[in-house]
């Protein structure tokens, strides 16, 4: 018995229409009829009742459909799993995320993959503030969604998935909190919390710049390792924290006021992996993340929140290696 006979029978049992079945199989109606008749000869009895107005399954046809369908699905799933393994799209993908917003994108991308690639599991873990690339380099993460740019010789990055504005977290009793907004020059009037650990210079400058655009020095406040520690210091008046706009939503707390910037460049987010590590699994995840971010931006634009201000420039997924 040929597979095309079984596929033709199961499709016709679903559609109960020779024309639609022929279109789905990309065959002629005559060929569909020929395959069904050949299967009926093998079985020894009619499987369909055909009239000028309708097609219906016989009792024997319903029995054969019910017996065959689970096995046909299992065969298709087995072939799909084998193909996924051959492409490196199986097992568990370990994904890091640097912020709650990045974590939400990662979570939604993992959910989207469960339907299309059930053979690929996704495990998620937060990237520590004080060690932005260590776990990725050690192989604890296969890929991570983090702030851009990434200027590491041994790491590659994909396109910008989405961007958002920046805010300054200050104590609610600080004079700046009364203004409603801040400019980069205002940073000269408050110590900025910095990040403990071995951060690259460009990443530290992004988190805690040394000077304002006009060249005025910015004082350095205490070094922190976790966001909750930073917000406790902010609330206590020990310094201010330069952060992403979504922090005001995910980390709202008494004693801390979040002030949007009038003139700061937005923060972009993208996927990063070890050079040469853009495997089939990483690329499948990247395409899912790109689509999730696109929908995320549309949802936010519709809600009028204004947090996610720009998205990726361009269309599909095209990773850039280191």
């Amino acid at each position: 018995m040929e597979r095309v006979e079984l596929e033709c029978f199961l499709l016709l049992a679903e559609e109960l229409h020779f024309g639609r079945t022929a279109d789905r199989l990309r065959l002629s109606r005559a060929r569909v009829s020929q395959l069904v008749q050949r299967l009926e000869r093998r079985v020894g009895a009619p499987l369909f009742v055909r009239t000028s107005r309708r097609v219906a399954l016989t009792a024997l046809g319903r029995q054969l459909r019910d017996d065959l369908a689970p096995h046909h699905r299992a065969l298709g799933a087995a072939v799909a799993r084998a193909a996924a393994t051959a492409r490196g799209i199986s097992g568990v993908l370990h994904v890091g995320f640097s912020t709650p917003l990045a974590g939400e994108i990662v979570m939604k991308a993992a959910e989207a993959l469960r339907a299309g690639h059930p053979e690929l599991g996704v495990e998620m873990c937060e990237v520590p503030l004080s060690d932005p690339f260590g776990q990725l380099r050690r192989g604890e993460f296969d890929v991570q969604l983090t702030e851009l740019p990434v200027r590491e010789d041994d790491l590659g990055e994909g396109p910008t998935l989405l961007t958002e504005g920046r805010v300054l977290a200050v104590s609610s009793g600080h004079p700046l909190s009364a203004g409603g907004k801040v400019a980069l020059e205002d940073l000269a009037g408050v110590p900025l919390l910095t990040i403990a650990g071995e951060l690259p210079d460009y990443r530290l400058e992004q988190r805690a710049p040394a000077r304002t655009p006009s060249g005025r020095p910015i004082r350095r406040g205490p070094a922190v390792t976790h966001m909750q520690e930073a917000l406790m210091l902010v609330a206590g008046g020990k310094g201010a924290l330069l952060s992403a706009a979504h922090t005001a939503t995910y980390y709202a707390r008494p004693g801390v006021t979040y002030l949007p910037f009038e003139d700061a460049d937005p923060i972009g987010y993208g996927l990063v992996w070890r050079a040469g590590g853009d495997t089939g699994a990483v690329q499948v995840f990247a395409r899912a993340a790109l689509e999730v971010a696109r929908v995320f931006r549309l949802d936010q634009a519709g809600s009028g929140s204004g947090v996610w201000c720009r998205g990726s420039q361009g269309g599909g997924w095209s990773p850039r290696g280191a």
Side-chain angles (χ1 to χ4, degrees):
M1 187 178 297
E2 297 180 16
R3 182 175 177 178
V4 66
E5 294 177 14
L6 300 180
E7 290 180 346
C8 183
F9 165 73
L10 289 171
L11 271 180
L12 184 57
E14 177 186 337
E15 293 286 354
L16 296 178
H17 190 281
F18 278 84
R20 289 194 296 269
T21 301
D23 289 342
R24 288 179 64 178
L25 289 173
R26 297 184 180 180
L27 299 174
S28 67
R29 293 191 185 194
R31 179 59 174 160
V32 169
S33 181
Q34 182 185 52
L35 289 171
V36 171
Q37 290 171 4
R38 194 161 71 188
L39 181 59
E40 288 176 328
R41 287 195 296 271
R42 290 183 190 276
V43 172
L47 299 172
F48 295 93
V49 177
R50 309 163 180 83
T51 71
S52 59
R53 301 183 63 180
R54 63 190 292 266
V55 176
L57 282 162
T58 64
L60 182 62
R62 288 193 297 271
Q63 175 188 314
L64 184 60
R65 176 200 61 192
D66 295 344
D67 288 342
L68 283 177
H71 300 290
H72 185 263
R73 288 194 296 269
L75 283 171
V79 172
R81 285 194 297 272
T85 300
R87 298 194 305 270
I89 309 173
S90 62
V92 177
L93 190 71
H94 296 88
V95 184
F97 60 91
S98 61
T99 68
L101 174 59
E104 191 161 347
I105 298 297
V106 168
M107 179 181 67
K108 291 180 182 294
E111 291 172 354
L113 283 179
R114 289 195 190 107
H117 295 277
E119 69 283 350
L120 179 63
V122 177
E123 292 188 0
M124 299 165 280
C125 186
E126 187 173 6
V127 177
L129 286 175
S130 57
D131 190 15
F133 306 121
Q135 288 174 279
L136 182 63
R137 285 185 167 121
R138 292 191 297 270
E140 296 172 30
F141 297 146
D142 299 299
V143 62
Q144 67 185 47
L145 182 56
T146 191
E147 298 92 337
L148 300 178
V150 173
R151 299 170 182 158
E152 310 300 302
D153 292 339
D154 59 336
L155 301 178
E157 70 177 55
T160 300
L161 297 184
L162 70 160
T163 66
E164 62 171 329
R166 298 173 118 192
V167 296
L168 184 68
V170 299
S171 167
S172 296
H174 193 279
L176 283 175
S177 67
K181 291 184 178 180
V182 289
L184 290 172
E185 287 298 323
D186 292 325
L187 297 179
V190 60
L192 274 187
L193 300 182
T194 187
I195 308 299
E198 298 296 324
L199 267 70
D201 290 343
Y202 70 90
R203 183 57 64 94
L204 185 60
E205 182 66 16
Q206 185 183 50
R207 294 274 190 174
R211 294 185 177 276
T212 69
S214 69
R216 298 163 67 197
I218 301 172
R219 288 176 291 155
R220 289 284 172 88
V224 299
T225 57
H226 298 92
M227 181 60 76
Q228 292 297 343
E229 176 190 8
L231 294 177
M232 181 182 68
L233 291 172
V234 169
K238 303 298 183 182
L241 178 69
L242 189 59
S243 189
H246 76 269
T247 310
T249 299
Y250 290 91
Y251 291 106
R253 58 169 292 165
V256 176
T257 298
Y258 294 96
L259 303 169
F261 277 91
E262 297 175 338
D263 54 354
D265 290 335
I267 296 173
Y269 295 88
L271 291 172
V272 182
W273 58 89
R274 293 180 299 281
D278 53 332
T279 62
V282 167
Q283 293 194 30
V284 164
F285 180 83
R287 287 191 287 271
L290 186 65
E291 178 59 21
V292 166
R294 184 189 69 82
V295 174
F296 213 80
R297 294 194 305 272
L298 291 175
D299 288 346
Q300 293 304 317
S303 70
S305 70
V307 174
W308 294 275
C309 50
R310 287 203 298 268
S312 173
Q313 304 300 315
W317 165 250
S318 54
R320 177 186 66 76

